[in-house]
Amino acid sequence: MILVQETTDWTTPNHTYILDDSRQYMHGYIKQGRADIEMFKTPIRFSTRGRSFHFIKKYNGMMQEDVKHIVSVQVEGSKGNKYNVILEDSKSSCDCTGFKYRGECKHIGLAREMLLYV
Ligand SMILES: [Zn+2]
């Protein structure tokens, strides 16, 4: 299974999903801005058509503890652009260009602040 964060540009909240390797079934998900993972008893059919995703990591049930500490947050930048930030205990990441080149950006700080209010 794999852990992916949705990065589709639409009005629906982008959650983080646990999908099987074929990306056709969802086994669970982490609600945007939340740290707890919800696993389904039976996988639900999932459609990736017209949506975009950011691959986070391979997931096997054994990593449940790790996953609990991953939070995905969407942050609005100063120009109104939306960035997807993933907060982990040890390392965090963002899909903006600043993070890509410098390995740090202000969105991660903003995401941490946002979490204080959810
Ligand atoms: Zn960023």
Side-chain angles (χ1 to χ4, degrees):
M1 288 191 275
I2 54 168
L3 193 63
V4 297
Q5 186 190 30
E6 179 150 23
T7 55
T8 311
D9 190 10
W10 59 5
T11 51
T12 315
N14 282 336
H15 305 301
T16 300
Y17 300 100
I18 295 157
L19 307 178
D20 66 352
D21 291 344
S22 69
R23 298 184 180 217
Q24 284 178 351
Y25 289 92
M26 168 172 40
H27 293 259
Y29 77 113
I30 306 168
K31 240 185 180 168
Q32 188 182 105
R34 297 294 302 270
D36 46 327
I37 177 170
E38 283 192 51
M39 291 300 282
F40 304 125
K41 286 202 182 86
T42 353
I44 292 172
R45 222 176 144 82
F46 192 78
S47 172
T48 54
R49 248 187 114 145
R51 300 160 69 177
S52 53
F53 298 90
H54 169 70
F55 174 85
I56 302 174
K57 61 168 84 175
K58 279 262 178 200
Y59 174 79
N60 59 39
M62 310 299 285
M63 286 160 57
Q64 174 108 5
E65 280 306 308
D66 299 345
V67 177
K68 272 187 190 158
H69 300 287
I70 299 176
V71 189
S72 79
V73 190
Q74 201 171 54
V75 175
E76 202 170 306
S78 46
K79 295 195 179 86
N81 303 355
K82 291 212 169 95
Y83 299 104
N84 297 288
V85 177
I86 296 165
L87 299 175
E88 290 187 61
D89 281 349
S90 46
K91 59 180 174 70
S92 300
S93 62
C94 178
D95 62 0
C96 74
T97 46
F99 184 85
K100 202 167 142 195
Y101 293 110
R102 293 190 304 271
E104 58 174 44
C105 69
K106 60 184 179 187
H107 308 121
I108 289 171
L110 286 173
R112 286 195 194 283
E113 270 174 40
M114 275 171 64
L115 281 182
L116 298 174
Y117 304 104
V118 290

